[in-house]
Each structure stands twice: as C-alpha cells, then as structure tokens.
Amino acid sequence: MSVCIEFQDVSYAYPLTKKAAVRHLNCKLEKGKCYGVIGPNASGKTTFCNLMRGLCPKFYGGILKGNVLVEGKNLEEWEDGELSVRIGYVFQDPFAQVSGIKETVFEEIGMGLENTGVEQEEMIRRILEIAKVVKVDTLLQKNPLALSGGQCQRVAFASVLALDSDIIVIDEPTSQLDPDGTMDVFEIIGALKRQGKTVIIAEHKVDLLAEYCDEIIAMAEGTIIAQGTVREVFQLQILREKKVRIPQVVTLALLLEEKKKALSSIPVSEREAVAMLKERGDI
Amino acid sequence: MKTKNQTVMKLAQTALLAALCFVSFTFLQIKIPMPGGDATSLHIGNAFCVLGALLLGGWYGGLAGAIGMTIADLMDPIYITGAPKTFFLKLCIGLIVGLVAHHIAKINDSTDKKYVFKWSLIASIAGLSFNVIADPIVGYFYKQYILGQPQKMAEVLAKWSAATTFVNAVVSVILVVFIYNAVRPILLRSGLLVSQPKN
Amino acid sequence: MAIEVKEISFSYPGNPVTAVENVSMKIEKGERVAIIGQNGAGKSTTVKLINNIYKPTQGKIFVDGIDTSTKTTAQIAPHVGYVFQNPNDQIFNDDVIKEIQYVLRYWKLSEEEIGQRTEEAIEVTGIRPYLETHPFDIPLPIRKFLTIAVVLAVSPDYVILDEPTAGQDLWGCEQLKIVMDYLKKKGKAVITISHDMEYVAEHFERVIVMAHKNVIADGSKEDIFYQPDILKEAHVTPPLCARIGQKMGIKKKILNIQELVENL
Amino acid sequence: MTEEQFVDSFRKYQKKGNWWCDFHPVAKMVTCLSLGFMCLIVFRWQVGLIIFLLAGGIAFLTPVWKKYFKMIGIMFLLGCVFTVIVRLYVHMGDPGPVAFYLFGKSVPVAAIISCLDLIFMIEGFLGIFLVFFMTTEMRDLCCCLEQLGMSSTVTFMVLSTFSSITSIKEKLNRVRESQRARGIETEGNLFVKVKSILPVLFPVIISSMTGIEDKTLAMDARAFAADGVHTSLRKIQPAKRSEKTVAVVAVIVSILGCVAGKLFL
Ligand SMILES: Nc1ncnc2c1ncn2[C@@H]1O[C@H](COP(=O)(O)OP(=O)(O)OP(=O)(O)O)[C@@H](O)[C@H]1O
Ligand SMILES: Nc1ncnc2c1ncn2[C@@H]1O[C@H](COP(=O)(O)OP(=O)(O)OP(=O)(O)O)[C@@H](O)[C@H]1O
Ligand SMILES: [Mg+2]
Ligand SMILES: [Mg+2]
C-alpha cells in the first residue's frame, strides 16, 4: 500500500512556548487505513493532527523542524486551497465550528461545496446524501446556531464530509454525544474506510477505536510511544506506565490472565471477547 | 496559506469588534436627552473601537468601530442623522490609536508588560482625546452646514456633547486599557495578534 | 433536607417548544445521583432549573424547604453549586487564586476562612501545578477542574456537575474520583450529568434516566442498567461489563470489571 | 414547510411571492439609499413626508407591514415626541409670527416648522431604511454584490458582523447565567448591575476573541481559501429591466430633488 502521510523526525513548538508540543515524530500513514490516535490530555494529539493538515506552522506560527510529507510532497509545496480540499479536518470543539454566516443547516453543509465551485444540482444531491448518513436530515431547516451540543457536532462532521476529501482527520468527534450518537459516528467512520478513504481519528474512547481502527498511534508527552496494529499496541506495558487509556476488554483479558484464567489471545472488541469466553465455555 | 488565513482571521476579528461596538453601544448606554430633540449618551462603544485598533492595527480597528457604531446609529432614531459623522470619526480614532500604538511605539513587538501598558494607555488617550475635541467640532459643523440646524442650538449641542464625550472617554480609556492588557497575553499565546513578533 | 422537584415544566424564552415537561424528583442530602439520557433530553435544563438560573413555568422546586421561585439565583448559589458544561463562560479573573476567591471575597468572609477554603479546593482538584498559569492558558480539561474548585470553595450542600467526564483522560477521571470522595466525606450531595456509563456505574448508587423531556426511570444502578428497553428508549447502552455479563448468561447483576472477572 | 419543498426551493430563484420582497436586492438598495439621502440632504418636511409616506405605502404592500408599523410607530413616538417637546421648549418665546400660545408663552411658526423638518427628515430616512432592511436578506444582497464583483472577503465580513451580533447577545446571556449561578448578583439596583458588568463582559470578550481562531479554521476546513470559481446554493433572479429602470429613476429623482429642494424649499 502507498504511503500518504509521512512524518520525518518532526518537532514543533507553538509560538511563545519554551517546551516543544511534539518531539521527534516519525511515522508513516498508509492510504486507505484507519488510524486511531490516543494519549492523555496535552500529549500532542491535536498538534499531530494540525501538523498533518499544515496548520502548524502556517496558521499558528511557531517553529517546525523536520519534514511532513503529504503524498510524497512537502507540505510547503502544497497550495493552500488544494490542501483544504484534499484533507478534511473536523476540529475538537464542536461549538466553535459553525461558520455563523449561514442560516440553515442545509446551507451550512453546502458551504464547502460552494467554495469549491460545485454545480447546484450536484451540491443538493451531496448535501442530502451526507445529511442522511450523519443523521441530521431532520435538522436541515434549523439555524446552525440553535443546535444542542450533540447536534452541532454532527453538523460540523457533515460539512467536512461533504467535501469528500481523500484523507479525513477527526479530532475527538464524540465528546458531546450520547452513547448511541457515538456509535453512529463510528459507523460512519467504518463506511468511510470501506470507501477507501484514509481516516485519522484522535479520541479518548479507546474501546470503539479498538473495534474500528486498523492501527493505533499512542502518544504521551509529545512523542509517539507506540504504533502498530490494535492488538500489538494495547498489550504494551508502556501504555499503562504512561497512563494511556486502554480498552476495557483488554483490561479484562489481562486481569483474567493474572487470575490464571487467560483467554486464547487478547480480544479487541466486545464481540471477540464474548466469542473467546464462550469458546472457553467455563462459567 | 498564511497570508490568506490571516486575512480571514483579521476580517473575522474586525467583524467581532464591530459587533462588540454595536452591542455595547446599543445595550449598555444611558441616554441623556438634550435640547433640540437630540441626545447624547453615556456609553462605552468607543472603547471597542480603540481596542480594535490596539489589537488589529489602525485600519481594521477603525473600520470595526466605524462599521459597528454606524450600524448602531442607523438603528437608533435619535442618532440616525449622525451616522455619516460617526463613520468618519470612528475611523479616525482607530487610525490615530493605530498610529501611536503600532507605528510609534510598536507595541506588538514588545513583550515588556509595563511598556505595553504605558503605550496602550497613551494610545487610547490620544485616540479618545481626539474624539473629545473632534466630536463636538465636527458635530457642530455637521449639524450646522449639512443638516442646517440653527447656529445657536448647534452650539448648545456641541457643548453638551463635549461634556458627555469627555466622560465617555475617561470611562473608555480605563476600560480599554484594562481589557487590552488582560486579553493580550491570551491572544498573544494563541497567535491571535495578527502581526506578532517574528521568531 | 432535600431538593424536591415537583412536576416542573419549562420552555426557553422565545421558544414555544417545552424543554422539560412534568419532571419530578427528590434528592436527599448526601446522596449521589447520576442523570443520564439522550442528547437534548432536558438534563442540563433540569439542573439549571434546580439552580434557579431559570424559573419553571409550572411546578415548584424546594431546596431544603425553600421555594426557589421566591429567591434570586445568587441566593440559591450558596446551597446549590453548578459547574457548567463550558468552563469558558465562567472564568474572568487573570489569576487562578483570584478566580477561586472571587465569590468568597464578594461575600466578605474572613481572610482565614478564605485561605483555608481555597487551599482545600486547590488540593482536591489537583490544580496546584497551574497556579502560576493564566486561567485561559490552562488546557481545557483542567480548566474544568478550576471551575470545580470555584464551586468547592463555595462549599454548597448540593453540587451539580454537568458532563465532567467529557474529554477527560485517565488522570482527569482519577482526579474526579478524588473530588467525589472528598464530597462524600463532607456529606455533600452530588448530582452528575454524564454520557460515560462506565463512570456512572462506578461512582453512583442512584441513576435517573431522562428521555423526551421527562424522567423515564429512577432507581439503583443495578436496576437501571439491567432494563434494556428503558436504556434503548434513552439512547444509552449499559456499561461493557454488564453487556458481557449478560451475554455470558451470568445471573448476578454485574457492573464492574472486578466482579466480572470473579464471576467468569 | 416539508423537507422536499425546502430543498426544492433552492432549485428555483429565491422568491417570497411579494413584488417588493423579490425586488432585485441591489436595485432596491440603490433606490432606497438615494431616496433616503435625498431626505437627509434636503432636510425639509415636505420631502421627508413624501418619502415617509412612500415607505409606509411600500411597507403596507409587503407581508412585514405589521412589524414595520409597530417599529416605525415606536420610533416615531420615541424620536418625535421627544423632538417636539424639547425643540418647542427651546424656541418658546422666540420672535416671529406666532402659531399659538402655550403656558403663556408664544410658540413661533418657525419653531413648529423646524420641528417638522427634523421629524420628517429622520422618519423619512428611517422609514425607507427600515423598509429596505426588513424586506431584504443580507445574504441575498451580499450574494448579488459578490456577483457584481465585490470580493468574497468583504461579504464574509459583512455577514460575519451581523451574525456576531446575535452570537454575542446569546453569549452575554449565557455568561450572565453562569455568573449568577456562582453567586454574583446581576439583577437588582443600578449599583449591583454596574458591579456585575466586568464579570460578565470579560468572559464574553475573551471567549469570543479566542473563538475567532476556531471560526477561521472552520472556514478553512470548508475550503474558503480555495481558488477558482465559487458557486452559490441560493439562486437570485438577475435584475429585470423594470427593476433597473426604477433604480435609475430613483437616482435621477433624488438628484433633482436635492437641487430643487435646496433651491426652492
Ligand atoms: N495554540 C497553542 N499555543 C501554545 N501551546 C499549545 C497550543 N495548543 C496546544 N498547546 C500545547 O501543546 C501541547 C500539546 O497539546 P495538544 O492540544 O496537541 O494535546 P491533546 O493531546 O490534543 O490534548 P487533549 O486530549 O486535551 O485534546 C500541550 O502542552 C498544550 O498546552
Ligand atoms: N438556550 C436555549 N434556547 C432554546 N432552546 C434550548 C436552549 N438550550 C437548550 N434548548 C433546547 O432544550 C432541549 C433540552 O436541552 P438540554 O440542554 O437540557 O439537553 P441535555 O439533556 O442537556 O442534552 P446534552 O446531552 O446534549 O447536553 C433541547 O431540545 C434543546 O434544543
Ligand atoms: Mg486535542
Ligand atoms: Mg447538557
């Protein structure tokens, strides 16, 4: 598979801060895979996403060392407009993401399409399609400023999805959502993956990440402490040392191991865990 | 991207300050009735005009004040006639503050709190004293020649408006210096001061 | 001594659709209650009514026997503390200590008392490393702890936390546990809104489920988390341990991982 | 409106089903502004009254007439009663032909006329201005101006100012709520209110300023920086010949009116 984003020894400090927010990042992200970025607060997840999108240092200022390559091309060589179409980015704070200049959710979702010069019929078709997927189709006529936190988050998600970017970066998309809403978001991410898109998602809800992601990138104190498949990463001792959250099913498996009731391997989803437990069949 | 994004950001900030001017003028004012069916009021709208100039530079700050206050004037039956005058005056305030703060003192290049405090104070005083002097004078001529009010009354109005403008200016200077110096460190950190020290 | 909510209804000004309808609940002093439910169910609205930020259009609320409709919000604040969903709406001082002490000074408490309360609040919320930082420079999840500290310093009998778990990492959850333990020790009632069922199952005895502007269930966590139809109606899923326990056909009502391990 | 109707409405030209509301925004703006400024410049009650009546007439033919007359009524009372009382008071006892006596003092005709001048200048301007604003959507106006060559950054700025006004008002309320919840009294006498200004104003300013960053990024995520043609979801009918004619006539009338008014009134 081809590499679509590559970090080569990247360090970055925000302006007027002494400590670098991230240090010596090295990683390769492949096309068509889903990556989960995990780590405690202030470990640099958002900064990692910003770097990928070129917002650090172009927008925030600050000092960047090393290279970030998107599809083999250094970030600086990318045109601004082109990059914003190529990489869709859903930001962390849902409340701040409404543009505020559109009066209905329908137009809010369509705004990106207007800016990229899509024809009207096509625009309407795409908005309706996305709205259905993200389950905001009942809100289309509402004012974006009068939405509840959860609804806001969905609309922000929808307006970025509408652009149909190849790479989608999502920073904590479920912080305000109820459990069902959270499941919906992950379902959508699953669907994006099936469409062959590259998805990078930073989240605290590791249980669902474990279920939906191909690979996990674990960060702590501004460095990548582990990268690999879900099963590999969540077994690592270092995650627990650095206080990175791990999925409950993994905790369960490890506890069972301690009690000498080990499962055949480490499960990463509820389904797997139940299957393994059933297979053992000793209640 | 830098240039383009920075413009969008500056525009968004300008819009925000214009809105703040509008809101503070419209909702936080005390009207004082005056002879001639005119009124002047105690308000802090100018503070945001000055704040805009300190944060965004003269042009944008002046523009923010001009737009915000002009809209506010247009929405108010008592002030509506003064709208063109307001636009011109607020723009000037912004330019003067910008000139003092950014061209003379270059406060955005400094990290010295005391220096910034001192110069933001001087700049706001400069801008608002201009207002204290110019508002009644421009108002006088504006009323007399453009609106054709009787001379005697225009004089009375000018005197009154000079008094309230002075009170407003004092309150605004205190407020703006306080707000600016409180807001600055936060904005500086999050890269919101558009022309920040090069590093 | 209790908060009694009696059949209240409320609609936001300028919005004819009611936000909550006929909600009743009673929360005793020292109790720990979690409110869960779908987005937009009216959870935040209900606690805002209890806090007297809004007055119900129908029904009455009594805090320790006082009818809230006869008081202002600021008069209820010493009894009921509310930590908002968004900390940015609350902070305005340029110094953490000043922020915590603002209301205490506003109430003209003695210097000694202020110092002691501040100290305790800082200790419990773990914000000591940030005392020198400008409040708006503190990372958002920790800024939330600052607003918690502000409420702890006020020391009301009822503490309401609106989604304290959103965006928190392990450290945050552990610190939150310390806060909860502290409040328990002090005999304060805690009312928490949360979407994190694991957290609810771990820290609360009683759970109130809200859906469609109303309370649809109220009971012990064992009861609630084992009633699939109610949970479904409220768009929540039970904690993972409960799900696995059920799927494995364990009879006992399991709610935490230790129990699950023991029963497997 | 059902969802299909709503979506369908974007396929056609944006219409309200009222000739004035659907008047091409730019033509409408030119018409109203020129008439308004004529009113301002001539500063005579005759002209003001005509414009005022014209505005009222137009408003009467639109669906917003109720709201319009309520607003203009309030403004009329507020601005005018005030003007009359104070102006008459100032001019009472002035020399000149006397209209009537009030409290034993003469009220000259000139005073009444100057009153009327001021009142109708204000009300004429305000009336035509309100009629324009109440029947025109800012976004449509901006969209049309954009088509005429105004840069999209300017439209963004204008729309953003208006939207910021509403969002700041909302934020003010929210912050006031949270400050009350922590025990700071914000209601009561003037002193209490003044004391609560800072705790309310400060979080509002800071959080809206820091919110700008997110807003800019949100705009960026919606490809605002993308080069090339921008399309628009809402379609506005190009100005008809009749609408253009009206605008041109209004401009000519205003210019002539100004000259004539200054010379003969
Ligand atoms: N705009 C900024 N200016 C200066 N420093 C910043 C900025 N944003 C983040 N930082 C700092 O960079 C470091 C990494 O922060 P980042 O936001 O990337 O963490 P995170 O893992 O996304 O945390 P969270 O889980 O809270 O979202 C932190 O120490 C933070 O204080
Ligand atoms: N300020 C407001 N003005 C008008 N309606 C509002 C306002 N705040 C909330 N609502 C509406 O009231 C209803 C209840 O909202 P509330 O905030 O209580 O929900 P919630 O249960 O806290 O949801 P969440 O889990 O998303 O925080 C929602 O339908 C919402 O749209
Ligand atoms: Mg983050
Ligand atoms: Mg809520």
Side-chain angles (χ1 to χ4, degrees), chain C residues 2-262:
Chain C
I3 291 179
E4 286 172 88
V5 177
K6 292 191 171 158
E7 296 184 349
I8 50 165
S9 299
F10 177 74
S11 54
Y12 282 94
N15 190 347
V17 186
T18 49
V20 293
E21 253 172 43
N22 246 334
V23 171
S24 302
M25 58 178 75
K26 185 170 179 185
I27 291 152
E28 300 289 342
K29 202 167 170 186
E31 217 175 356
R32 290 137 72 86
V33 186
I35 304 181
I36 62 174
Q38 190 184 358
N39 285 127
K43 305 180 295 292
S44 300
T45 310
T46 306
V47 293
K48 279 184 188 167
L49 286 164
I50 293 177
N51 203 242
N52 208 15
I53 291 171
Y54 300 119
K55 304 221 190 284
T57 35
Q58 262 170 41
K60 280 212 183 311
I61 297 172
F62 296 92
V63 173
D64 292 345
I66 308 164
D67 182 354
T68 57
S69 61
T70 60
K71 302 278 175 194
T72 65
T73 316
Q75 284 169 325
I76 294 298
H79 304 282
V80 184
Y82 179 30
V83 179
F84 273 67
Q85 221 160 338
N86 185 356
N88 292 353
D89 292 345
Q90 241 167 324
I91 294 171
F92 66 95
N93 285 291
D94 56 2
D95 178 334
V96 172
I97 301 275
K98 265 199 233 160
E99 184 68 35
I100 296 174
Q101 296 182 339
Y102 187 86
V103 184
L104 308 181
R105 294 197 189 282
Y106 187 87
W107 288 339
K108 306 205 168 57
L109 300 183
S110 74
E111 208 52 41
E112 198 183 335
E113 173 94 32
I114 291 177
Q116 193 210 331
R117 286 194 187 193
T118 315
E119 192 53 30
E120 230 172 273
I122 291 173
E123 192 57 49
V124 173
T125 50
I127 53 172
R128 197 176 296 284
Y130 297 92
L131 292 189
E132 303 292 313
T133 320
H134 194 293
F136 279 90
D137 280 349
I138 300 176
L140 197 72
I142 296 164
R143 219 178 295 162
K144 183 105 185 181
F145 278 103
L146 172 56
T147 49
I148 294 178
V150 170
V151 169
L152 291 187
V154 169
S155 186
D157 286 338
Y158 305 90
V159 178
I160 302 174
L161 305 172
D162 202 341
E163 300 198 18
T165 46
Q168 296 290 359
D169 59 0
L170 272 186
W171 176 87
C173 289
E174 276 166 21
Q175 196 64 44
L176 219 51
K177 192 168 180 288
I178 297 175
V179 172
M180 300 288 293
D181 290 345
Y182 167 81
L183 288 170
K184 187 175 188 176
K185 203 179 79 205
K186 289 239 161 179
K188 313 274 186 199
V190 185
I191 303 163
T192 302
I193 296 174
S194 181
H195 287 307
D196 183 343
M197 295 308 138
E198 272 76 31
Y199 170 77
V200 170
E202 199 174 330
H203 295 288
F204 296 88
E205 291 93 43
R206 183 173 153 202
V207 177
I208 295 176
V209 188
M210 289 191 73
H212 326 302
K213 312 170 183 179
N214 210 332
V215 174
I216 57 167
D218 181 347
S220 72
K221 61 182 169 190
E222 285 82 9
D223 273 359
I224 300 288
F225 282 131
Y226 279 84
Q227 294 186 33
D229 30 331
I230 285 186
L231 296 183
K232 195 160 182 207
E233 198 182 337
H235 289 260
V236 293
T237 41
L240 185 90
C241 306
R243 294 203 301 263
I244 292 185
Q246 252 172 339
K247 282 189 185 148
M248 295 307 297
I250 299 171
K251 294 273 153 20
K252 196 165 167 241
K253 288 182 175 174
I254 285 172
L255 281 174
N256 68 45
I257 208 155
Q258 274 75 26
E259 269 183 281
L260 182 62
V261 170
E262 260 141 45

Side-chain angles (χ1 to χ4, degrees), chain A residues 14 17 21 40-47 60 92 172 204, chain B residues 189-190, chain C residues 139 141:
Chain A
Y14 283 97
T17 51
N41 291 131
S43 57
K45 301 185 295 297
T46 303
T47 311
Y60 287 99
Q92 192 163 355
E172 293 190 34
H204 283 298
Chain B
R189 199 219 57 171
S190 44

Side-chain angles (χ1 to χ4, degrees), chain B residues 110-128:
Chain B
S110 166
T111 43
D112 178 5
K113 268 190 181 166
K114 275 206 184 112
Y115 179 82
V116 171
F117 180 84
K118 189 178 81 187
W119 277 100
S120 59
L121 182 67
I122 295 175
S124 351
I125 290 178
L128 289 168

Side-chain angles (χ1 to χ4, degrees), chain D residues 2 40 44 77 132 135 150 160 175 197 245 259:
Chain D
T2 67
L40 197 75
R44 286 287 177 269
L77 284 179
F132 171 67
T135 59
M150 197 165 84
S160 180
V175 173
I197 280 184
T245 318
V259 176

Side-chain angles (χ1 to χ4, degrees), chain A residues 53 55 59-60 79-81 84-85 89 91 96-101 103-104 106-108 110-121 123-124 127-128 137-138 140-141 145 156 159-160 163, chain D residues 1-4 6-8 10-12 137-139 155-156 159-160 163-164 166-167 170 211-235:
Chain A
R53 174 62 177 72
L55 297 177
F59 181 77
Y60 287 99
E79 288 286 326
D80 356 322
S84 63
V85 180
Y89 190 174
F91 299 97
Q97 276 189 68
V98 190
S99 70
I101 63 173
E103 285 178 29
T104 59
F106 186 74
E107 290 162 84
E108 178 77 28
M111 188 174 161
L113 300 172
E114 285 182 339
N115 288 337
T116 46
V118 176
E119 281 309 313
Q120 202 208 25
E121 246 340 284
M123 207 154 23
I124 293 179
I127 298 171
L128 291 179
D137 43 352
T138 52
L140 288 180
Q141 298 183 48
L145 291 173
S159 16
V160 171
L163 277 174
Chain D
M1 202 164 21
T2 67
E3 199 174 305
E4 274 122 59
F6 172 72
V7 172
D8 234 19
F10 285 92
R11 296 206 168 90
K12 300 186 225 91
E137 299 230 19
M138 269 330 263
R139 51 184 171 168
T155 46
F156 169 70
L159 291 176
S160 180
S163 76
S164 302
T166 30
S167 69
E170 253 167 46
I212 294 266
E213 184 178 273
D214 298 288
K215 199 160 160 178
T216 312
L217 288 174
M219 296 293 290
D220 191 58
R222 285 160 181 66
F224 192 72
D227 297 316
V229 273
H230 286 202
T231 45
S232 169
L233 200 49
R234 294 168 66 84
K235 283 201 277 195

Side-chain angles (χ1 to χ4, degrees), chain D:
Chain D
M1 202 164 21
T2 67
E3 199 174 305
E4 274 122 59
Q5 282 169 334
F6 172 72
V7 172
D8 234 19
S9 73
F10 285 92
R11 296 206 168 90
K12 300 186 225 91
Y13 288 126
Q14 291 294 329
K15 285 277 183 222
K16 291 251 161 53
N18 176 276
W19 69 278
W20 179 253
C21 292
D22 295 335
F23 210 86
H24 191 262
V26 177
K28 193 163 32 170
M29 183 177 76
V30 172
T31 311
C32 292
L33 278 189
S34 54
L35 292 179
F37 276 108
M38 172 170 77
C39 204
L40 197 75
I41 292 167
V42 177
F43 205 154
R44 286 287 177 269
W45 64 270
Q46 295 91 330
V47 174
L49 185 62
I50 292 173
I51 304 291
F52 183 58
L53 292 178
L54 182 70
I58 294 174
F60 191 69
L61 296 174
T62 64
V64 293
W65 65 275
K66 259 192 188 151
K67 220 171 113 198
Y68 171 83
F69 285 114
K70 207 170 136 194
M71 265 179 93
I72 201 83
I74 294 171
M75 294 196 165
F76 199 87
L77 284 179
L78 207 93
C80 304
V81 170
F82 205 57
T83 312
V84 173
I85 294 171
V86 190
R87 256 205 182 187
L88 285 188
Y89 176 76
V90 170
H91 288 285
M92 251 198 246
D94 278 4
V98 177
F100 56 88
Y101 287 90
L102 199 67
F103 309 121
K105 276 197 171 174
S106 65
V107 178
V109 177
I112 295 181
I113 293 195
S114 98
C115 253
L116 287 177
D117 281 347
L118 187 62
I119 290 174
F120 283 107
M121 186 271 281
I122 292 179
E123 297 303 324
F125 189 89
L126 205 58
I128 201 87
F129 193 78
L130 267 183
V131 149
F132 171 67
F133 264 94
M134 290 174 81
T135 59
T136 316
E137 299 230 19
M138 269 330 263
R139 51 184 171 168
D140 288 348
L141 179 65
C142 286
C143 179
C144 290
L145 288 174
E146 213 170 307
Q147 276 162 10
L148 288 178
M150 197 165 84
S151 81
S152 60
T153 38
V154 177
T155 46
F156 169 70
M157 158 94 213
V158 174
L159 291 176
S160 180
T161 305
F162 280 94
S163 76
S164 302
I165 291 175
T166 30
S167 69
I168 286 175
K169 276 197 273 186
E170 253 167 46
K171 205 168 254 166
L172 265 175
N173 283 335
R174 237 189 9 259
V175 173
R176 195 173 288 141
E177 275 166 25
S178 34
Q179 301 301 30
R180 281 205 321 245
R182 78 191 249 200
I184 300 172
E185 199 72 73
T186 63
E187 291 147 305
N189 61 30
L190 193 69
F191 180 66
V192 173
K193 275 194 182 142
V194 168
K195 224 166 84 176
S196 76
I197 280 184
L198 218 52
V200 173
L201 211 54
F202 200 75
V204 170
I205 295 173
I206 300 232
S207 64
S208 15
M209 291 298 285
T210 44
I212 294 266
E213 184 178 273
D214 298 288
K215 199 160 160 178
T216 312
L217 288 174
M219 296 293 290
D220 191 58
R222 285 160 181 66
F224 192 72
D227 297 316
V229 273
H230 286 202
T231 45
S232 169
L233 200 49
R234 294 168 66 84
K235 283 201 277 195
I236 297 168
Q237 187 162 31
K240 291 187 223 132
R241 182 169 296 149
S242 59
E243 291 170 342
K244 285 185 193 158
T245 318
V246 169
V248 172
V249 169
V251 173
I252 295 172
V253 167
S254 307
I255 295 172
L256 294 181
C258 284
V259 176
K262 280 285 174 204
L263 289 180
F264 303 114
L265 285 175

